[in-house]
Amino acid sequence: MNHEQHMREAIQLSQDGLRSGRGGPFGCVVVRGGQVVGRGSNQVTSTFDPTAHAEVVAIRDACKALGTFQLDDCVLYASCEPCPMCLSAIYWARIPEVYFGNTRQDAASIGFDDDLIYREIPLPVDKRRVAMKSLLHAEALPVFKEWAEKTDKTRY
């Protein structure tokens, strides 16, 4: 597999997205068996979607192209170290290998600072900056119990 070639495509997508005004300077490709199966560039500002990061866009593209929600035989190439949201999406998609160009420190130096989120995640819920309170737990729990007992579910 030509890692440099795939990383160059991710970098090119980051530049194309930046220059077109679609979003920030981030690009990503998902590769399976040496072939690109998903592409994405940051589209946060053009789609008014704060989750439209390059990695999420590329993962969605790859999953649609392959007809699956698990990319456990794929490799992801991102122009920058994934933020916490994108890293979570990578784990949820079961992608086993990631290559990245710029570091999160590089991103922070141009105004994309994910460090706050990285610091918030390990805090207890009641210590986070975003107010989080449990509500209607007794009404929500039966749905989880029903899922646990469901025999024909698709596990993910």
Side-chain angles (χ1 to χ4, degrees), residues 62-138:
C63 287
K64 185 175 180 181
L66 297 174
T68 184
F69 55 85
Q70 292 194 0
L71 303 173
D72 53 359
D73 56 353
C74 295
V75 179
L76 184 138
Y77 297 84
S79 65
C80 186
E81 182 178 354
C83 75
M85 176 185 70
C86 294
L87 183 60
S88 296
I90 289 163
Y91 274 93
W92 281 117
R94 309 292 195 263
I95 297 171
E97 192 171 9
V98 173
Y99 292 87
F100 62 89
N102 293 313
T103 66
R104 69 190 209 208
Q105 292 80 12
D106 295 327
S109 74
I110 62 166
F112 294 94
D113 192 358
D114 303 325
D115 193 51
L116 168 67
I117 302 169
Y118 277 108
R119 288 191 322 263
E120 288 277 308
I121 290 171
L123 294 176
V125 172
D126 63 341
K127 301 292 184 198
R128 294 180 184 160
R129 290 185 186 200
V130 174
M132 299 181 74
K133 299 172 175 76
S134 181
L135 182 65
L136 298 178
H137 181 250

Side-chain angles (χ1 to χ4, degrees), residues 2 4 9 37 139 149 151 154:
N2 190 334
E4 289 82 10
E9 184 170 353
V37 295
E139 291 180 36
E149 295 167 3
T151 58
T154 301

